[in-house]
Amino acid sequence: MFLYYKAPEPRPGDDRTTDLIRWAAFTCVLVPVVLLWYGASLAGAAGTALGLAAVTAVCRVLLRRSERCAVRLLADEPAPEAHHRGHRQRTGTGSRRGGRHSGGNSPVG
């Protein structure tokens, strides 16, 4: 007898960034509740909630912006070449790899 697990179909908008933001929003609520539970003042817990909410909002904006930039860069990237040279093959006559090389017999200085 075999049991098969079928992963749920991804919904539009579901991605790692969305999950991360959801967890951050959850902690924005959880942390002040825990602070109140352990005897912190209401003003301190509210200030913590506002600070966490502000940090979460800024992180969300930055994450979405980086996603848009990454998509744009991938769209602008040319297709890879059909023939790829190995890393040990030279690309042209007299090509040199790495290190410092002076040009011909000129003094190094």
Side-chain angles (χ1 to χ4, degrees):
M1 179 170 129
F2 293 101
L3 297 176
Y4 292 101
Y5 171 74
K6 183 180 177 191
E9 295 293 323
R11 297 177 303 206
D14 271 358
D15 57 357
R16 287 189 222 165
T17 304
T18 303
D19 290 341
L20 183 69
I21 297 300
R22 286 180 184 163
W23 278 107
F26 173 70
T27 60
C28 287
V29 173
L30 181 65
V31 169
V33 169
V34 171
L35 287 174
L36 288 173
W37 181 270
Y38 281 100
S41 68
L42 183 61
T48 301
L50 288 175
L52 287 173
V55 169
T56 300
V58 169
C59 288
R60 181 181 184 273
V61 168
L62 292 173
L63 282 169
R64 294 297 182 191
R65 182 179 176 196
S66 70
E67 283 180 338
R68 284 193 307 269
C69 289
V71 167
R72 193 176 327 129
L73 285 175
L74 288 175
D76 292 344
E77 189 174 279
E81 294 181 17
H83 178 68
H84 177 69
R85 295 180 186 269
H87 73 92
R88 293 187 180 265
Q89 295 177 355
R90 295 184 176 186
T91 58
T93 308
S95 296
R96 296 184 181 181
R97 294 183 354 211
R100 296 189 312 182
H101 299 282
S102 61
N105 292 327
S106 63
V108 178

